[in-house]
Amino acid sequence: MLLTAVTGGIGSGKSTVSGGLARRGAPVVDADGVAREIVEPGGAAYDPVRARFGDAVFGPDGRLDRAALAAIVFADRAALAALNAITHPVIAATVLERLAALAAHRGPVVLDIPLLNAGTLELYRPAALVVVDTPTDTAVGRLVAHRGFSEADARARVAAQATRSQRRALLELVEHGRLLDNGGDAAALEAQLDDVWSWLCGLPDRPAGGPCASGGVVTPPR
């Protein structure tokens, strides 16, 4: 496989980008999806989260009340650090297991991961990186319009994550990296996805055959 990390902040459209690459033939391992799974009843992080944050962040059905937990951790960096200390090792182990199951895939495999940094790059060692970059006001507007956030809450969520410049700096740590501007409309994004897919399919590290063999491959710039 050609492991390709796709990262971006909340409201950036990162998941839309991953979905577009999936339509072109790339299996996706969704780190956010894993993070949701592990705090479901019976999940590996369920009991530790309940022990740390108490019954107040769980509903009558026993499931995590994500809004209640978010209200705590996005207003308190120590609480956020405590949550991350519980969940991140479990997420990493699960993601690595799922990537290993895709090792024989002959083409790009997407790791959709919002919390990417130098440490997680070293852990997962992607061959390629796509950073989805979106102006802050655009991201906030999407969260308000499409996900029901208040503007204050949306800005707090964005501020709690890595900055745009910090994400762009990650491109210097990988051999093959692309910055994808998702500040425009759906048509502009789709055109960039065509370009990114052709670029991935032309990388020298890509195994022969697979979904890239259907055509439209270009040689990436060096």
Side-chain angles (χ1 to χ4, degrees):
M1 69 174 173
L2 180 82
L3 181 56
T4 304
V6 175
T7 195
I10 187 170
S12 68
K14 167 185 58 63
S15 296
T16 303
V17 169
S18 295
L21 295 175
R23 291 195 305 273
R24 289 160 172 80
V28 176
V29 175
D30 180 3
D32 265 348
V34 170
R36 291 189 292 270
E37 289 174 25
I38 65 172
V39 293
E40 287 292 315
Y46 179 88
D47 287 340
V49 169
R50 191 154 198 157
R52 170 60 177 80
F53 293 96
D55 294 342
V57 297
F58 289 83
D61 60 355
R63 300 183 69 187
L64 179 66
D65 182 337
R66 297 180 186 282
L69 181 60
I72 294 171
V73 301
F74 286 106
D76 182 344
R77 290 190 178 275
L80 180 60
L83 178 64
N84 290 343
I86 293 169
T87 59
H88 284 185
V90 183
I91 294 168
T94 305
V95 167
L96 287 169
E97 178 181 314
R98 294 184 183 181
L99 291 175
L102 292 166
H105 181 73
R106 304 194 68 79
V109 170
V110 169
L111 171 58
D112 183 316
I113 179 167
L115 301 178
L116 192 66
N117 53 38
T120 45
L121 276 174
E122 179 64 23
L123 175 65
Y124 298 120
R125 296 182 177 274
L129 170 63
V130 177
V131 173
V132 184
D133 185 55
T134 305
T136 298
D137 287 346
T138 301
V140 168
R142 289 171 179 165
L143 294 173
V144 171
H146 303 302
R147 294 177 59 178
F149 287 77
S150 68
E151 181 173 348
D153 191 16
R155 291 193 181 279
R157 299 289 187 101
V158 171
Q161 297 186 336
T163 66
R164 294 171 67 194
S165 61
Q166 286 171 330
R167 288 194 183 87
R168 290 193 293 264
L170 295 173
L171 293 168
E172 300 175 7
L173 304 179
V174 296
E175 183 177 0
H176 307 299
R178 291 289 291 267
L179 185 70
L180 191 156
D181 177 3
N182 192 25
D185 59 16
L189 176 60
E190 196 65 22
Q192 290 185 83
L193 282 169
D194 284 339
D195 183 51
V196 167
W197 182 254
S198 293
W199 167 70
L200 288 172
C201 286
L203 289 177
D205 300 333
R206 182 188 65 80
C212 288
S214 59
V217 177
V218 298
T219 301
R222 294 186 180 276

